[in-house]
Amino acid sequence: MQIIEELDYQPNILASTLASKRVYSLGVLIPEPQSEEAYWSKPLIGIRQAFNEIQQYGVEIKIYQFKQTDASFFKEKAAELLKEQHDGVVLAPFFSRESKVFIKKLEEREIPFVFIDSNINDSSKISYIGQNSFQSGTLAGKLLDFSVPEDASVLIIHFAKEMDNQNHLVQREMGFYDYFKQKETPSKRHITTIEINDPASNDYFAPIEAGIKKAGNVKGIFVTNSQVYKVAEYLEKYNLRDIRLIGHDLIPTNRDYVRRNMVDFLICQRPEEQGHQSIITLFQHLILKKTVASENYTSIDIITKENLDFYQEFNTNNYGTN
Amino acid sequence: MQIIEELDYQPNILASTLASKRVYSLGVLIPEPQSEEAYWSKPLIGIRQAFNEIQQYGVEIKIYQFKQTDASFFKEKAAELLKEQHDGVVLAPFFSRESKVFIKKLEEREIPFVFIDSNINDSSKISYIGQNSFQSGTLAGKLLDFSVPEDASVLIIHFAKEMDNQNHLVQREMGFYDYFKQKETPSKRHITTIEINDPASNDYFAPIEAGIKKAGNVKGIFVTNSQVYKVAEYLEKYNLRDIRLIGHDLIPTNRDYVRRNMVDFLICQRPEEQGHQSIITLFQHLILKKTVASENYTSIDIITKENLDFYQEFNTNNYGTN
DNA sequence: CTGAAAGCGCTTACAG
DNA sequence: CTGAAAGCGCTTACAG
């Protein structure tokens, strides 16, 4: 050991993985994308990319996708995962109660895990990879405050079924209000929040219209998730071009509305990068035996018509061989 | 060959580099940072990071830094680089005429090279890694247009000695004007440009003040490079808090002014990522024999007080062993 | 429990 | 020019 120290010996990972034919198996438990290009298709892209980069090191990845509509789907897939022998797990703790049960089992078996997208505190996670929703809310507040005349009011719209299960959205709203509270000169801006609950319904124009009417003199709208395109559709139909619109996530529909100047800003969180990072973090922990950061917040990107094209391609500086 | 095709044989890079003890030497020719935390210190961080990741593959990197003040320094360092036997070169073509001479020599010796930061067309480069300055200018235009009342005017300030050697700044200015030209309802916004030429002088308050006076009713200022802190200093001193300020690059001084709400937006181009990517691109070309993209534009990030903290750390999803 | 041998999938100098 | 042998820096089954 003294000589190792003296010579600053670094083992050769290439030789090591070549010699030991050991295989590392990773399990990934994430929501199923609601459609082909929906949000949860993005982390998968990053996960596949990471797999390409590190499969040479003997890594195998198995994906378990659960439907987001009911916690029972989560439990089912979690049970499936536990039947296999995995060396590490990536987990989106979408349903917090069920996730806690699942985590306990991972801990019993001493399987290391990382969270992606959402976090659960007081767990023995290796790392959390995701966004800071509160801060992204303050950012939305600033952007609307800058873009909307001082005497006009702004409207926050949640498109969500059960708000208490949607911690991200709550955090974003809290951050939004906080921006106005923290201003040097306290803001007298009129802010209203509405919830549009029925995700299945195609009749979202009516509640949007009602919300705008009720708030009065609305010149800015913040939609707390990716369904901002619904409001864009409404504004475009009635040609309400003096209302500034901010939403989340660079999905194709939103992109088109940004291009047509109907959505002014999209706030994004690099889901591909998150997927990629979740696998790489496990790889670093398991194979490279490195210590990894216990929290890994991805950047909060502001996307407009002008810089949109430079956020299209996912590039992780891949130097894998495939 | 037929069997290779049939079995979809993929050579094992690990085994290959382990067996062949060949060393790849890379030369990097970039400007010397003007101070410890100045712009050109950032790409170096990414370059070092990339080195850590790939040194196991037998990569050596030698850095040649030239003073930005005179082309003769560039020529000197370029000559030094050519004396060594390098297998690939990263080059910031800061002085275009001298760079073209240098490139010709690289081409004669069949040494592949990538550009970083600036591009030279019609060259046999492997890749260009950098920003799109014109688009970042249109973005600055939009942000100021949104933040400044319609009847107020905006001011563009160049801090630069020789504008004809500063293609980035020219492009940014052109993009800025173009935003207003391309608007659906043509903008009647009054825009003025001034150049503050003497970089050594500490007396920049006078020309800034003169510029603002001359333009009249200025409520927004766009500084085309990282020296936006000079204007922030001026605005803070005279407590001109109703003037919106946009500039470039996340250097420490600018960061502080963003925190204090004196700079409203910084437009950034991820210099560390550019440095990292330049080395990885050569690595992919030389060692992995992959084809690389001939153009690699980094994102144009918008940084505000609210998302600043999530752009601090350079994270390339490193999975190197050091 | 210890230590030498075989082997991971390649490259390269060398014998024929 | 071709092909078998040695070796890159490790791991792991195995003999002692």
Side-chain angles (χ1 to χ4, degrees):
Chain A
M1 289 315 269
Q2 207 179 348
I3 292 170
I4 281 178
E5 194 75 14
E6 266 171 39
L7 299 177
D8 189 30
Y9 167 77
Q10 304 281 357
N12 185 327
I13 306 272
L14 303 192
S16 162
T17 45
L18 184 60
S20 105
K21 295 268 74 191
R22 126 143 240 204
V23 166
Y24 289 89
S25 169
L26 309 182
V28 176
L29 184 60
I30 55 174
E32 194 177 284
Q34 281 146 325
S35 66
E36 202 187 325
E37 295 239 48
Y39 182 82
W40 278 100
S41 68
K42 308 290 178 118
L44 258 189
I45 293 171
I47 288 167
R48 294 216 180 89
Q49 168 90 5
F51 172 68
N52 278 338
E53 291 168 20
I54 62 175
Q55 62 167 314
Q56 294 237 20
Y57 291 86
V59 175
E60 280 172 359
I61 297 179
K62 187 157 177 189
I63 314 278
Y64 303 82
Q65 290 175 306
F66 55 87
K67 285 201 181 20
Q68 302 171 37
T69 45
D70 198 289
S72 69
F73 295 116
F74 176 89
K75 280 163 77 175
E76 191 183 309
K77 289 294 174 182
E80 265 183 49
L81 185 151
L82 285 169
K83 267 187 219 142
E84 303 277 328
Q85 283 295 92
H86 289 299
D87 301 292
V89 166
V90 173
L91 164 68
F94 203 80
F95 301 99
S96 31
R97 201 173 330 116
E98 289 76 10
S99 294
K100 279 174 187 163
V101 175
F102 176 60
I103 287 167
K104 195 147 283 168
K105 293 200 179 130
L106 292 177
E107 286 169 348
E108 277 166 21
R109 299 171 197 208
E110 297 187 334
I111 300 173
F113 57 92
V114 307
F115 289 128
I116 183 172
D117 193 67
S118 310
N119 198 3
I120 289 181
N121 289 321
D122 308 320
S123 65
S124 60
K125 63 168 188 284
I126 298 294
S127 188
Y128 162 63
I129 292 122
Q131 63 178 334
N132 184 317
S133 303
F134 185 88
Q135 274 303 117
S136 89
T138 67
L139 180 58
K142 182 193 193 127
L143 292 172
L144 269 195
D145 192 38
F146 266 51
S147 318
V148 172
E150 265 184 57
D151 55 342
S153 77
V154 295
L155 178 64
I156 302 175
I157 302 182
H158 293 297
F159 284 96
K161 207 166 124 194
E162 299 166 33
M163 276 303 285
D164 45 328
N165 220 344
Q166 301 283 340
N167 193 32
H168 280 327
L169 308 195
V170 176
Q171 290 288 322
R172 283 170 182 166
E173 179 183 348
M174 283 170 57
F176 191 89
Y177 277 98
D178 192 66
Y179 169 80
F180 291 95
K181 226 176 290 167
Q182 300 296 331
K183 279 189 77 173
E184 287 173 38
T185 1
S187 174
K188 280 165 290 184
R189 174 93 61 194
H190 183 65
I191 307 174
T192 320
T193 303
I194 62 167
E195 288 173 30
I196 299 183
N197 299 314
D198 188 359
S201 165
N202 285 319
D203 183 25
Y204 36 82
F205 279 15
I208 293 172
E209 189 160 19
I212 293 177
K213 278 246 170 69
K214 195 185 136 211
N217 193 26
V218 169
K219 293 285 180 249
I221 298 177
F222 171 44
V223 178
T224 54
N225 64 11
S226 64
Q227 294 175 56
V228 59
Y229 59 85
K230 293 181 176 171
V231 180
E233 190 190 339
Y234 172 83
L235 295 181
E236 189 166 48
K237 182 166 180 196
Y238 295 103
N239 203 29
L240 301 171
R241 301 225 159 222
D242 60 340
I243 296 183
R244 298 302 187 201
L245 183 55
I246 298 190
H248 275 268
D249 301 334
L250 198 52
I251 58 174
T253 339
N254 288 346
R255 191 151 59 214
D256 292 344
Y257 281 114
V258 168
R259 284 235 167 78
R260 295 215 296 284
N261 266 328
M262 293 311 304
V263 170
D264 297 294
F265 297 102
L266 280 179
I267 297 178
C268 303
Q269 57 166 319
R270 307 195 192 181
E272 302 94 340
E273 201 173 299
Q274 288 177 19
H276 184 266
Q277 186 63 36
S278 67
I279 297 296
I280 296 300
T281 299
L282 275 180
F283 171 72
Q284 291 180 145
H285 177 80
L286 289 169
I287 290 99
L288 303 185
K289 322 275 185 216
K290 290 171 70 174
T291 50
V292 297
S294 69
E295 241 137 38
N296 196 326
Y297 289 113
T298 41
S299 314
I300 303 175
D301 294 323
I302 306 169
I303 276 124
T304 74
K305 191 184 173 189
E306 287 71 25
N307 69 0
L308 176 64
D309 289 334
F310 304 100
Y311 284 92
Q312 300 291 3
E313 275 164 64
F314 171 57
N315 181 354
T316 49
N317 306 325
N318 163 30
Y319 52 95
T321 51
N322 288 294
Chain B
M1 292 312 273
Q2 207 178 347
I3 293 171
I4 282 179
E5 193 75 13
E6 265 170 40
L7 299 177
D8 190 29
Y9 166 77
Q10 304 281 358
N12 184 326
I13 305 274
L14 303 191
S16 163
T17 44
L18 184 61
S20 105
K21 295 269 73 190
R22 128 143 240 204
V23 167
Y24 290 87
S25 169
L26 308 182
V28 176
L29 184 60
I30 56 174
E32 193 177 287
Q34 281 145 325
S35 66
E36 203 187 323
E37 294 240 49
Y39 182 81
W40 278 100
S41 68
K42 309 290 180 118
L44 258 189
I45 293 170
I47 287 167
R48 293 215 182 90
Q49 167 91 1
F51 173 67
N52 277 338
E53 291 169 19
I54 63 176
Q55 62 167 316
Q56 295 237 21
Y57 290 85
V59 175
E60 282 171 357
I61 297 180
K62 187 157 178 189
I63 313 278
Y64 304 82
Q65 290 176 306
F66 54 87
K67 285 199 178 29
Q68 302 173 38
T69 45
D70 198 292
S72 69
F73 295 115
F74 176 89
K75 280 163 78 174
E76 193 184 306
K77 290 294 174 182
E80 263 183 49
L81 187 153
L82 285 169
K83 267 186 217 142
E84 304 277 328
Q85 283 296 92
H86 289 300
D87 300 293
V89 166
V90 173
L91 164 69
F94 202 80
F95 300 99
S96 31
R97 204 175 325 119
E98 288 76 11
S99 295
K100 280 175 186 162
V101 175
F102 175 61
I103 286 165
K104 195 147 281 167
K105 292 200 180 131
L106 292 176
E107 285 170 346
E108 276 168 20
R109 298 169 198 209
E110 297 187 334
I111 300 173
F113 56 92
V114 308
F115 290 128
I116 184 173
D117 192 69
S118 310
N119 198 2
I120 289 181
N121 288 320
D122 308 321
S123 64
S124 59
K125 62 167 187 286
I126 299 294
S127 188
Y128 162 64
I129 291 124
Q131 64 177 333
N132 185 318
S133 304
F134 185 89
Q135 274 304 116
S136 89
T138 66
L139 181 58
K142 180 191 195 132
L143 291 173
L144 269 194
D145 193 38
F146 266 50
S147 318
V148 172
E150 266 187 54
D151 54 344
S153 77
V154 295
L155 178 64
I156 302 174
I157 301 182
H158 293 298
F159 284 95
K161 207 165 125 193
E162 297 167 34
M163 278 300 288
D164 45 328
N165 220 344
Q166 301 281 341
N167 193 34
H168 279 328
L169 307 195
V170 176
Q171 290 288 322
R172 284 171 182 166
E173 180 183 348
M174 283 170 56
F176 191 89
Y177 277 97
D178 193 65
Y179 169 81
F180 292 94
K181 224 177 291 168
Q182 301 295 333
K183 279 189 76 173
E184 286 172 37
T185 3
S187 173
K188 279 165 289 182
R189 174 91 66 191
H190 182 66
I191 306 173
T192 320
T193 303
I194 63 167
E195 289 172 29
I196 299 183
N197 298 313
D198 188 359
S201 166
N202 284 320
D203 183 26
Y204 37 82
F205 278 17
I208 292 171
E209 187 160 22
I212 293 177
K213 279 248 170 69
K214 196 185 135 210
N217 193 26
V218 169
K219 292 284 179 249
I221 298 178
F222 171 44
V223 178
T224 54
N225 63 13
S226 64
Q227 294 175 57
V228 60
Y229 58 84
K230 293 181 177 173
V231 179
E233 190 190 342
Y234 172 83
L235 295 180
E236 190 166 48
K237 182 167 181 195
Y238 294 102
N239 203 28
L240 301 171
R241 301 224 159 222
D242 61 340
I243 296 182
R244 297 302 187 200
L245 183 55
I246 298 190
H248 276 268
D249 301 333
L250 199 51
I251 58 174
T253 339
N254 288 344
R255 192 150 58 212
D256 292 343
Y257 281 115
V258 168
R259 284 235 168 77
R260 297 216 294 284
N261 265 329
M262 293 312 304
V263 170
D264 296 294
F265 297 102
L266 280 179
I267 297 177
C268 303
Q269 57 167 318
R270 308 196 191 180
E272 302 93 341
E273 200 172 300
Q274 287 178 20
H276 184 265
Q277 186 62 36
S278 67
I279 297 296
I280 295 300
T281 300
L282 276 179
F283 170 72
Q284 291 181 146
H285 177 81
L286 289 168
I287 290 99
L288 304 184
K289 322 276 185 213
K290 290 170 70 175
T291 48
V292 296
S294 69
E295 242 137 36
N296 197 325
Y297 289 113
T298 40
S299 313
I300 303 175
D301 295 323
I302 306 170
I303 276 124
T304 74
K305 189 183 174 189
E306 287 71 24
N307 68 0
L308 177 64
D309 289 333
F310 304 99
Y311 284 94
Q312 300 291 2
E313 274 163 64
F314 171 56
N315 181 354
T316 49
N317 304 325
N318 164 29
Y319 50 95
T321 51
N322 287 294

